Amino acid sequence: MGKFTVLDLLDLDLHDYNALKLKCLAGRKGLVKTIDHMELNRPGLALTGFFKTFAPQRVQVFSAAEHEYLKEMEKKGDFSSVEKLFSFPIPFCVFCRDMTPADWFLAVAEKAGIPVLQTPLPSNEFSVRIIRTLGDILAPQEKQHAVLVEVFGMGVLIKGDSGVGKSETALELLERGHRLISDDSVLLKCLSGKIIMGYSDDRILGHHMEIRGLGIINVSQIFGVRGIRDRKQVQMVINLEEWDSSKNYDRLGTVDLTSDILGVKIPTFNIPVKPGRNIPVIIETAALNERLKHKGHYAAKEFNKNLIQMLESDNARKMYQDNYLTKQD
């Protein structure tokens, strides 16, 4: 993604348990500063003058302890550690529980061009919310030409060449009661290094679909809110491809294929498309089968195991019968 600034953070439209409730008290010329790290720092040691382990690239969170220490500094009239603190390129400072720093502190911040923000949230709650927010915004990401749908609770990324029928397949899945996250272009983000989350790449065209011969349709208006989601974890990939009679397709499912998305391996299935094949039903079955795998039931491996046991049993019976008949003769 492009640069994410302090001003961008203030402009985020966050609600309920995501709301940061921030406002700027000073240092507005520094609102263009870039936020590059999701980690936070409590500057208690820095305020005492110890900067050896100071992390200036992080957001500086001031709670009651830091606020009280600033009051002691004011009594002594020694502001050198704060001036040194603001000499570093920190993105911004934030005071929790609506605590307001003294005018001298705001003046030093204003001179240094460091934004000083304020929130009514306690420091522990603010930390959880901003780490979650920045983790989402700063996560590694990529865009893919695909369709993302939720099928029986599974996030299914449908891929394939243009015109193979991705949108038509998704439309049939919607008709069968499943939900659309994004059509044509999907924004994928890697959260916590192990979860791939998919979003609509276009806010304007989000929850719209392009159907050849029909044009653009509004999914939320046709299918209602039951037919849409804003985001969903990608848990399997379906590659739609034109049927190739010369190609050997997997008929047992004992080979585990995966797709690498931002360093995360996602189970993948190559589905050949030809007239007469009900692709939506195949995708539904694949989603249900994948859910069974998550519960420890692997149909293909269980079938293979039972087949081997049966063959071994038949061979043992045959060997016994052959040896017994030989001895009888």
Side-chain angles (χ1 to χ4, degrees):
M1 63 167 294
K3 292 183 178 180
F4 183 76
T5 67
V6 182
L7 184 59
D8 293 328
L9 182 67
L10 290 172
D11 287 341
L12 289 178
D13 187 20
L14 303 174
H15 304 284
D16 302 328
Y17 62 89
N18 288 318
L20 298 175
K21 304 178 181 180
L22 291 168
K23 66 178 180 180
C24 185
L25 301 179
R28 284 176 173 78
K29 66 180 180 180
L31 292 177
V32 294
K33 285 180 171 291
T34 301
I35 303 174
D36 298 315
H37 295 78
M38 59 179 286
E39 296 88 356
L40 309 179
N41 188 65
R42 296 284 290 273
L45 283 175
L47 293 177
T48 67
F50 184 79
F51 287 89
K52 188 174 182 180
T53 58
F54 181 59
Q57 73 277 13
R58 301 181 181 181
V59 174
Q60 307 297 314
V61 180
F62 287 71
S63 65
E66 288 81 11
H67 190 246
E68 288 301 317
Y69 193 82
L70 290 176
K71 292 181 181 179
E72 294 298 319
M73 292 179 63
E74 185 174 9
K75 292 178 182 178
K76 297 178 181 178
D78 182 8
F79 310 138
S80 58
S81 60
V82 172
E83 291 171 347
K84 185 173 181 180
L85 174 73
F86 285 144
S87 69
F88 290 93
I90 60 179
F92 68 88
C93 298
V94 58
F95 282 77
C96 300
R97 294 187 182 275
D98 272 339
M99 291 180 291
T100 303
D103 291 341
W104 67 265
F105 184 93
L106 297 177
V108 175
E110 191 73 41
K111 182 179 179 181
I114 303 295
V116 177
L117 309 184
Q118 184 185 61
T119 177
L121 299 172
S123 59
N124 58 340
E125 180 62 25
F126 173 77
S127 298
V128 170
R129 295 189 185 191
I130 194 170
I131 288 175
R132 182 169 58 225
T133 299
L134 293 179
D136 188 14
I137 293 170
L138 302 178
Q141 58 185 263
E142 67 178 33
K143 298 176 184 179
Q144 288 198 14
H145 178 63
V147 178
L148 181 58
V149 292
E150 182 191 62
V151 180
F152 295 130
M154 299 286 293
V156 181
L157 188 69
I158 304 175
K159 301 174 64 176
D161 293 336
S162 180
V164 77
K166 298 185 296 295
S167 296
E168 290 78 3
T169 298
L171 185 62
E172 175 63 23
L173 288 169
L174 286 169
E175 182 64 32
R176 297 172 68 88
H178 305 295
R179 296 194 280 186
L180 173 75
I181 293 86
S182 181
D183 176 57
D184 190 53
S185 183
V186 181
L187 176 63
L188 300 171
K189 294 184 179 182
C190 180
L191 306 182
S192 303
K194 58 183 178 180
I195 296 175
I196 300 299
M197 194 67 69
Y199 309 77
S200 174
D201 181 38
D202 194 320
R203 292 184 178 181
I204 298 176
L205 295 178
H207 300 147
H208 288 71
M209 297 182 70
E210 178 190 353
I211 307 298
R212 284 177 172 80
L214 189 61
I216 302 295
I217 65 170
N218 189 318
V219 173
S220 61
Q221 290 181 354
I222 295 176
F223 296 96
V225 292
R226 72 172 179 85
I228 59 174
R229 280 199 66 163
D230 291 329
R231 66 177 189 171
K232 178 64 183 176
Q233 179 184 351
V234 178
Q235 294 158 292
M236 57 185 295
V237 175
I238 298 291
N239 284 322
L240 299 183
E241 56 183 52
E242 296 288 349
W243 181 282
D244 185 354
S245 58
S246 64
K247 186 175 179 179
N248 292 323
Y249 294 102
D250 185 12
R251 301 184 65 177
L252 294 180
T254 55
V255 179
D256 292 328
L257 300 178
T258 60
S259 295
D260 188 304
I261 301 178
L262 296 170
V264 179
K265 302 295 185 182
I266 306 295
T268 300
F269 304 90
N270 296 322
I271 307 298
V273 177
K274 73 173 183 178
R277 299 203 85 202
N278 195 327
I279 303 303
V281 171
I282 294 174
I283 292 177
E284 284 182 331
T285 305
L288 291 173
N289 193 48
E290 195 63 24
R291 290 187 64 179
L292 282 175
K293 290 180 184 179
H294 290 177
K295 295 181 179 295
H297 302 289
Y298 203 124
K301 290 183 178 179
E302 290 172 1
F303 173 80
N304 195 43
K305 179 182 177 181
N306 293 335
L307 181 61
I308 292 173
Q309 288 177 344
M310 183 186 71
L311 292 174
E312 289 177 345
S313 177
D314 289 344
N315 289 335
R317 186 182 301 110
K318 186 176 184 302
M319 290 175 62
Y320 172 78
Q321 290 174 347
D322 289 347
N323 290 335
Y324 177 76
L325 292 175
T326 300
K327 290 179 180 179
Q328 288 289 87
D329 291 342

